[in-house]
Amino acid sequence: MAQKYVYFFGPSGTEGDASMKNALGGKGANLAEMARLGLPVPAGFTVSTEYCTVYLDEGRKFTDLLKREVAEAMAKVEAAMGMKYGDPVNPLLVSCRSGARRSMPGMMETVLNVGLCSATIPGLIRKTNNPRFVYDAYRRLIMMYADVVMEKAEDLEPSQGKGIRKILDEMLDEYKRRKGCKSDTDLTADDLKSLAEEFKKTIKRILKKDFPDDPWEQAWGGIGAVFKSWNGRRAVSYRRIEGIPDEWGTAVNVQAMVFGNMGDHSATGVAFSRNPATGENKFYGEWLVNAQGEDVVAGIRTPNPLNEATKNEQNKHLGSLEQQMPVLYKQLDAIRSKLEQHYQDMQDIEFTIQEGKLYMLQCRNGKRTGTAALNMAMDMLQEKLIDQPTAVMRVEPAQLDELLHPIVDPNEEKKHTPITRGLPAGPGGAVGKIVFTSADAVDWTGKGKKVILVREETNPEDVEGMRAAKGILTARGGMTSHAALVARGWGKCCIVGAGELRIDLAKKVLTVGGKAYQEGNVLTLNGTRGLVYAGAVKMMDASENPRLAEFMKIVDKHRKLGVRTNADTPADARVARNFGAEGIGLFRTEHMFYGEGSDEPLFVLRKMILSSTEEERRRAVDELYPFVKRDIKGTLEAMDGLPVTIRLLDPPLHEFVPQNEDAQAELAQALSITVADIKRRGEQLHETNPMMGHRGVRLGITYPEVTEMQVRAILQSAAELTKEGKHPHPEIMVPVTCDVGELDVTRVIVDRVHAEVKAATGVDVQFLYGTMIEIPRACLLADKMAKTSQFFSFGTNDLTQMGFGFSRDDIAGFLPDYLSKNILKADPFQTIDQEGIGQLIEMAVQKGRQARPDLKIGICGEQGGDPASVEFCYKSGLNYVSCSPFRVPIARLAAAQATLKGKK
Ligand code: ADP
Ligand code: MG
Ligand code: MG
C-alpha cells in the first residue's frame, strides 16, 4: 500500500486518534480524539509530520499523490460542513495550523480564514448578511498570510527593520486613530474593506508580490508555510533548548473555520480544566466576545473571566461567560469534565462560539507550576482519577525546587519591573537590605535584620556572610562560580553575573540603570528566574506544605535507588535528614577550615602544612586531632543509625597557606621561625597544576601521620558513640586514587588504628573502607581497586574534569560556545555525560562487581541531584546517589520516576 499522508477528522469517519501524535502532531491527534468523543469539532484533515520531511528535503514541492489525498480529504470536509471550498455561493474557509509531536507554544505558524478572495467574498456576505464580519476576516487573512506565507516562509529579511506584520499593524492603528476608534470592533465594514485594499498595495510595494486571489493558491501557500515554519529561527532555537530532534517535523492541520467574530453572539476563548498556577479544581479561563483566534492571548483587549469564581483584580469588572452565556458555559463545563475523565489530566483548551454554537478547537495536557502539579496530582489521586504511579510521574523533579524554598509571590511579581537580571544560581526568593561585605551581613543579621549580600564576586572568605544573608547577588561569575555552588548547596536564593551592576565598595553604593542604591536599601531577588527588584515584593512560603510530605511518602514507596546527602557539618546533616536523606554520601573533612569557627583549626592546619620536620608535623597533627574529631563525631551523631561516608583530606595543601602578612607573622611566631621562612616554605608548596598535584591520597602517601590522625578521629568517635548507646556507621573514603596500591598502603594504617582503638575502648568498630572513583585510570582498573575497596563513590566532578580534559574552574571561557554551537548538548558538570563519562562509570560498575559482587556503589558529584543523572545512575546499577541537602527530595522523586519508567 502506498504511504498515507492525510488523515480526516469530523463528525463521522475520523481516521486518527490521540495515540498517533508522532504522525499527526499533538494538535492533530487530539482534534481527532475529540471528534471521536463526539465533541463539536469543526471538520478538517491533518497532513502528517512524515510529509514535512519529504517536503523540506525534496525541493519544497507537493507531490501528485499528496495533491490527490488533500483533494479527497477536502471533499469530505465539504460534505461534513455543507459548504464548498472556493465556491462563490456557499464558500468554505479553512485554517492551516501547525502542530508538532511535542507542543512548541508560539514557535510555529497558523493562518486563519484561508479561501477568502474576490470570488468568495460576495457569496459569504450574502450568506451571512454581515459584511463587517467578512471584511474583518479578510483583513486578518491578509495580515497573517503576508507575514507567515509571503515573508517568513520565504526567509525574507524584514525590510526597513520591521516585518510586514508590524507595518500592517501600524497601518491599522493609524487608521483607528484617524477614525477615532478605540477598539478593532469599532471599525465598520467600509473601514475594513478600504484597509484591506491599502494592505494589499503595501504588500505589493514591499514584498514585490501580489497577495494571492486564488483559493487553492492560498491553501497550498498556507500548508507549505506551516511546514517551512518548522525550520524558522524561533522553532529551531526552541528545539535546541528543549532537546527536540530536527527530524520530527510538524504536521499541518487544515480545518474548517468557525467564527468568533460574527457579532455579539460569537466569542472565542482559552481555558484550563483546573487552575494552572495553583492547581485548584476550578474551571479557569478567559474569553472575548466578537473576536477571533489569538485576540485573547495577544493582549489587544483585556479578556473577560470565564466564570464568577475565578475573577481577579484586573478583570472583575468584566462579564463572565457563565453570566453572559449561561447555557453555553454549562455545555463547555460538561466538556471540561468529559475531557478530564478521558485524558485523566488537566487540559488546556481552545474554544470558539459562532452565533450561539460552541466549537472545540484544541485540547492538550496543560502546562503548570510546581505547586499546581503537586496539588493536582494529589487531588486526582484522591478523586481516584489516577493511580499512585501516575501521581508520582505527574510532578517534574525540577518543579520540586519551587516547593522547597520561599518564593516571590508570582501574582505580586507581575506588578513589578526588574531593575536588572543575572543568572538564576540559587532558587527561591529573598527580600532584604543591601550590605556590601560579609562582615556586615553577619553583623546586621545578628541584629535581627534581613540582608542581601551584594558582591562583585564571592570567595571562600565570604562564606559566613553568605550563610547569614537571605540572598546573594553578584556582578560577576557563572552558574558554577563559588557563590552559585555554595548557594545551591544551602538552597539559598542567589543571582550571579548580573553584569549591569556597578558596585562602589568604598562608598557602599550600588548603581544600576542610572539609579543608586545605598547600603540598607531593600532589594528583592527572584533566584529561580534571575530577576532583581527594587523594594520589597511579597513572598510566599511553600515549604511546610503537608501535601508535599504526603506526596513524598508515596514517592518513596516506588523508589529503589537510595538517596544520601553531601553534608559537611552536623547542622547540614540534620537539614538533609529532614528532607529524607538516608545517610551521608560525602562528608568533606576540610570543611572545618573554612567559615565560622575555623580560625583555630585553620591556624593549626597551617602549622602542620608549614612544618619542615616530621616531629614538628606530628605535634601539629596532634593539635589538630580534637577539632577533626569534634566535627566527625557530631555528624555521626546527627546521622545516627545511617551510613556516613567520610572523605580523607583532599585539597592541595598550598590552598591553605596564609597570604597576608599578619597571619604569616603570627604563624612564624608559633613555629619559632622567621616570616621569610614562612614565605619560603609556602613557595615550596606552590604547584603549577595543583588540581593534579599533591592532593588526595597522595598527601597520605607522603604524610602517613595525617591519614592516621583522621582515621583515629573517625574510629574513636564511632567507638565513643557506640558506648553512648548510639549506632554509628562510618565509611572511610580515600580520594583521588588511581591504583589499588594506594588503597593497600592506606589500609595498613586503618587496620593498625582500628586495633589500637579496639584495645583502648573495647569497641570493635564496624566500618567500611572504600574509595572515590574520579580518575579514568581507576575506572579501567576497577576490578583491582575493588579487591581492597568495599565501596566506590563516583566523584563525577573530577571524573568529568579528567575525562574531558576540561578544567572545571576554567570552563566559563569556552563551554558556552560548545553549547551554542551544539558540539555538546549539555554542561557535563551539571548533568552526567552519559555517552562518554557514562561508559567509564558503567565499566567501573561492571568490573568492580565482578571482583566483589556486594560492592556498594554511589555517586557524590554535583550531578547526583540532577534528574537525568539520577536516572542514569539507577540504570547503571548504583546503590545510591548523594546530593546537596536541598536537592534530596528532587533526587528521591527522580529515583522513583526512574524505577517506574524502567517497569514500563
Ligand atoms: P497555536 O498553536 O499557536 O495556538 P493554533 O493553530 O491553535 O495556533 O491557532 C491559533 C488561533 O486560531 C487559536 O486561537 C485557534 O483557536 C484559532 N483557530 C485555529 N483554527 C481555527 C478554526 N478552524 N476556526 C476558528 N479558529 C481557529
Ligand atoms: Mg492553539
Ligand atoms: Mg574530587
Side-chain angles (χ1 to χ4, degrees):
M1 207 183 88
Q3 167 100 41
K4 180 177 168 64
Y5 289 119
V6 179
Y7 296 80
F8 173 78
F9 57 86
S12 65
T14 295
E15 294 174 306
D17 62 46
S19 70
M20 294 170 65
K21 290 205 171 66
N22 289 358
L24 305 183
K27 201 179 285 168
N30 282 332
L31 283 168
E33 189 78 7
M34 284 199 290
R36 278 177 188 273
L37 288 173
L39 300 183
V41 176
F45 57 86
T46 306
V47 186
S48 78
T49 56
E50 284 129 24
Y51 198 81
C52 183
T53 322
V54 175
Y55 179 80
L56 293 176
D57 287 353
E58 295 176 14
R60 310 193 162 202
K61 287 202 185 66
F62 296 102
T63 56
D64 288 341
L65 174 73
L66 186 82
K67 287 186 184 154
R68 210 161 46 234
E69 277 193 72
V70 165
E72 278 166 26
M74 188 68 103
K76 284 194 204 169
V77 177
E78 292 171 342
M81 301 301 293
M83 292 183 268
K84 234 174 129 30
Y85 190 69
D87 190 67
V89 181
N90 188 15
L92 170 71
L93 303 188
V94 297
S95 59
C96 297
R97 318 174 63 186
S98 56
R101 279 193 214 181
R102 256 195 11 226
S103 133
M104 297 169 53
M107 295 301 131
M108 286 177 303
E109 307 297 347
T110 283
V111 190
L112 305 182
N113 309 330
V114 175
L116 210 47
C117 55
S118 43
T120 53
I121 286 173
L124 196 61
I125 292 177
R126 267 195 307 279
K127 187 181 152 195
T128 60
N129 203 14
N130 190 345
R132 189 205 171 270
F133 149 71
V134 175
Y135 285 110
D136 184 50
Y138 192 46
R139 65 96 189 163
R140 287 172 191 265
L141 168 67
I142 298 172
M143 291 173 96
M144 278 186 260
Y145 198 94
D147 171 39
V148 174
V149 186
M150 300 178 74
E151 187 174 72
K152 286 205 192 102
E154 295 304 317
D155 265 341
L156 295 181
E157 278 302 315
S159 53
Q160 307 165 10
K162 51 187 161 189
I164 188 76
R165 177 84 199 219
K166 186 100 209 296
I167 295 170
L168 301 183
D169 269 334
E170 284 172 4
M171 286 171 69
L172 174 63
D173 286 343
E174 171 55 29
Y175 196 97
K176 279 196 286 191
R177 204 164 9 205
R178 231 164 42 219
K179 288 274 170 170
C181 303
K182 274 209 206 84
S183 165
D184 292 359
T185 46
D186 298 334
L187 293 168
T188 65
D190 284 335
D191 290 334
L192 293 162
K193 185 176 176 183
S194 64
L195 249 178
E197 292 311 312
E198 285 181 36
F199 278 178
K200 285 196 280 189
K201 280 188 213 135
T202 305
I203 290 168
K204 174 85 202 232
R205 181 165 53 79
I206 291 176
L207 301 179
K208 318 271 183 263
K209 258 199 210 152
D210 283 314
F211 173 76
D213 199 37
D214 175 80
W216 277 102
E217 189 186 340
Q218 285 181 7
W220 288 115
I223 295 172
V226 170
F227 280 148
K228 288 178 201 162
S229 72
W230 178 251
N231 281 342
R233 224 166 297 159
R234 264 180 309 154
V236 171
S237 50
Y238 185 83
R239 288 207 290 279
R240 294 277 176 277
I241 296 165
E242 295 288 311
I244 297 174
D246 289 343
E247 315 80 72
W248 279 7
T250 179
V252 183
N253 302 287
V254 177
Q255 186 176 25
M257 282 303 302
V258 289
F259 301 101
N261 54 338
M262 271 192 169
D264 290 344
H265 301 284
S266 300
T268 186
V270 292
F272 295 88
S273 60
R274 301 184 188 213
N275 188 312
T278 63
E280 196 182 15
N281 189 1
K282 277 186 184 151
F283 200 13
Y284 181 90
E286 296 179 325
W287 69 291
L288 276 176
V289 76
N290 199 8
Q292 187 175 38
E294 250 128 39
D295 293 0
V296 174
V297 269
I300 330 174
R301 289 152 65 189
T302 305
N304 300 44
L306 194 64
N307 49 30
E308 297 303 301
T310 60
K311 284 189 166 178
N312 62 34
E313 280 308 305
Q314 272 95 48
N315 65 19
K316 62 181 182 199
H317 59 289
L318 300 168
S320 67
L321 187 74
E322 185 179 24
Q323 192 183 41
Q324 297 194 346
M325 302 183 179
V327 178
L328 289 165
Y329 177 77
K330 262 206 167 139
Q331 194 192 343
L332 187 64
D333 194 35
I335 290 175
R336 162 211 184 201
S337 308
K338 188 165 186 170
L339 285 175
E340 267 212 352
Q341 286 297 324
H342 185 71
Y343 285 101
Q344 305 181 334
D345 199 355
M346 188 266 276
Q347 294 299 299
D348 168 350
I349 57 194
E350 288 175 4
F351 64 92
T352 281
I353 293 165
Q354 175 177 328
E355 305 206 289
K357 187 166 170 7
L358 174 68
Y359 293 94
M360 298 303 297
L361 289 169
Q362 191 172 335
C363 78
R364 64 182 161 201
N365 292 340
K367 296 225 189 307
R368 61 205 70 182
T369 65
T371 310
L374 172 75
N375 288 336
M376 281 192 265
M378 295 306 288
D379 282 347
M380 289 183 186
L381 187 63
Q382 258 157 25
E383 294 159 24
K384 300 210 160 54
L385 192 60
I386 56 176
D387 58 8
Q388 283 194 356
T390 309
V392 170
M393 297 303 293
R394 279 288 161 83
V395 181
E396 285 170 34
Q399 285 183 317
L400 279 186
D401 232 8
E402 196 185 309
L403 294 159
L404 299 171
H405 302 284
I407 55 170
V408 180
D409 184 331
N411 288 321
E412 293 294 317
E413 189 171 6
K414 276 189 210 144
K415 300 176 194 159
H416 294 78
T417 315
I419 55 169
T420 190
R421 56 172 63 226
L423 300 171
V431 181
K433 298 189 156 89
I434 299 174
V435 292
F436 292 96
T437 68
S438 176
D440 285 340
V442 174
D443 189 33
W444 290 41
T445 305
K447 291 179 186 144
K449 291 180 189 156
K450 292 181 175 160
V451 302
I452 303 284
L453 177 62
V454 181
R455 303 283 293 156
E456 195 69 40
E457 62 188 343
T458 67
N459 57 46
E461 270 124 58
D462 290 325
V463 169
E464 267 325 286
M466 294 172 71
R467 185 106 195 176
K470 286 280 158 201
I472 301 152
L473 172 63
T474 75
R476 282 193 275 154
M479 289 295 282
T480 53
S481 63
H482 176 262
L485 287 180
V486 172
R488 267 203 298 284
W490 292 335
K492 183 156 299 213
C493 172
C494 173
I495 298 173
V496 299
E500 293 170 354
L501 299 182
R502 294 288 163 267
I503 298 167
D504 187 335
L505 195 55
K507 296 212 183 94
K508 298 201 170 175
V509 317
L510 155 74
T511 353
V512 62
K515 278 191 84 171
Y517 301 86
Q518 317 285 337
E519 181 182 63
N521 286 1
V522 174
L523 290 184
T524 300
L525 307 185
N526 179 339
T528 312
R529 297 173 61 203
L531 301 176
V532 184
Y533 299 91
V537 184
K538 204 172 141 245
M539 303 281 294
M540 215 167 102
D541 190 8
S543 64
E544 278 142 32
N545 186 343
R547 296 209 97 174
L548 181 61
E550 221 183 312
F551 176 73
M552 293 308 296
K553 242 193 233 159
I554 299 171
V555 164
D556 284 342
K557 279 211 280 189
H558 296 274
R559 170 169 68 89
K560 295 220 181 78
L561 187 66
V563 176
R564 297 193 190 180
T565 190
N566 299 348
D568 300 325
T569 64
D572 281 352
R574 275 188 291 272
V575 171
R577 215 176 167 155
N578 284 338
F579 279 129
E582 297 159 315
I584 290 181
L586 177 63
F587 172 91
R588 295 171 299 181
T589 17
E590 59 269 20
H591 177 86
M592 71 190 69
F593 306 120
Y594 305 105
E596 188 181 13
S598 66
D599 291 356
E600 263 189 282
L602 182 61
F603 185 70
V604 181
L605 177 77
R606 285 171 167 171
K607 266 170 53 178
M608 180 190 99
I609 293 170
L610 295 173
S611 45
S612 52
T613 64
E614 189 185 326
E615 205 195 321
E616 240 174 41
R617 186 160 41 251
R618 277 205 174 272
R619 255 199 321 270
V621 163
D622 288 346
E623 255 186 272
L624 199 52
Y625 174 79
F627 295 106
V628 176
K629 190 182 145 225
R630 184 195 57 197
D631 257 33
I632 290 175
K633 191 173 174 186
T635 305
L636 282 171
E637 191 169 14
M639 276 285 162
D640 189 37
L642 298 174
V644 176
T645 308
I646 300 158
R647 180 175 74 182
L648 303 182
L649 203 60
D650 181 56
L653 292 183
H654 105 275
E655 249 184 39
F656 298 103
V657 171
Q659 302 302 339
N660 84 43
E661 303 266 335
D662 286 355
Q664 286 174 346
E666 198 186 339
L667 208 59
Q669 199 184 6
L671 289 171
S672 341
I673 52 176
T674 66
V675 170
D677 280 336
I678 294 278
K679 285 194 174 146
R680 190 175 36 77
R681 290 187 192 179
E683 274 157 24
Q684 279 166 359
L685 284 172
H686 177 78
E687 290 175 316
T688 311
N689 198 346
M691 290 316 283
M692 297 169 94
H694 200 178
R695 61 174 289 215
V697 68
R698 297 156 211 168
L699 293 171
I701 301 290
T702 36
Y703 311 124
E705 57 278 10
V706 177
T707 301
E708 180 184 326
M709 177 273 289
Q710 296 178 78
V711 171
R712 190 178 305 282
I714 296 167
L715 297 176
Q716 180 69 26
S717 298
E720 289 173 13
L721 286 168
T722 306
K723 281 192 161 171
E724 293 162 24
K726 304 261 164 45
H727 302 86
H729 293 283
E731 302 179 342
I732 300 171
M733 180 159 77
V734 186
V736 214
T737 53
C738 62
D739 193 280
V740 68
E742 297 167 322
L743 287 169
D744 291 337
V745 167
T746 310
R747 177 82 209 203
V748 173
I749 301 174
V750 171
D751 285 340
R752 177 164 54 76
V753 174
H754 183 257
E756 286 168 12
V757 170
K758 188 175 167 189
T761 62
V763 182
D764 182 7
V765 174
Q766 299 302 302
F767 68 98
L768 288 183
Y769 176 75
T771 185
M772 250 170 117
I773 299 282
E774 49 192 334
I775 295 181
R777 188 176 193 269
C779 295
L780 301 170
L781 300 176
D783 46 349
K784 298 213 168 116
M785 306 291 280
K787 291 222 169 88
T788 306
S789 202
Q790 295 169 294
F791 67 89
F792 286 172
S793 177
F794 289 103
T796 40
N797 295 341
D798 269 317
L799 190 59
T800 301
Q801 169 159 280
M802 295 190 237
F804 271 85
F806 286 178
S807 160
R808 179 158 52 120
D809 298 311
D810 303 308
I811 50 171
F814 56 89
L815 195 67
D817 296 324
Y818 274 67
L819 296 175
S820 72
K821 297 206 161 88
N822 217 19
I823 299 170
L824 289 178
K825 294 253 181 298
D827 177 350
F829 292 97
Q830 287 185 25
T831 187
I832 291 177
D833 159 50
Q834 299 184 18
E835 195 189 3
I837 303 301
Q839 285 196 44
L840 289 172
I841 294 175
E842 282 165 349
M843 176 195 299
V845 169
Q846 193 242 328
K847 287 194 152 194
R849 291 245 168 88
Q850 214 174 296
R852 185 188 288 270
D854 66 344
L855 184 71
K856 242 204 216 181
I857 309 179
I859 168 186
C860 61
E862 274 283 303
Q863 297 96 329
D866 163 66
S869 304
V870 171
E871 187 176 344
F872 173 77
C873 290
Y874 173 73
K875 284 197 209 145
S876 307
L878 268 59
N879 299 88
Y880 68 87
V881 296
S882 187
C883 55
S884 56
F886 276 86
R887 294 199 74 84
V888 166
I890 296 170
R892 283 159 70 197
L893 178 54
Q897 293 188 348
T899 314
L900 291 170
K901 282 186 206 164
K903 279 189 183 155
K904 266 202 257 164

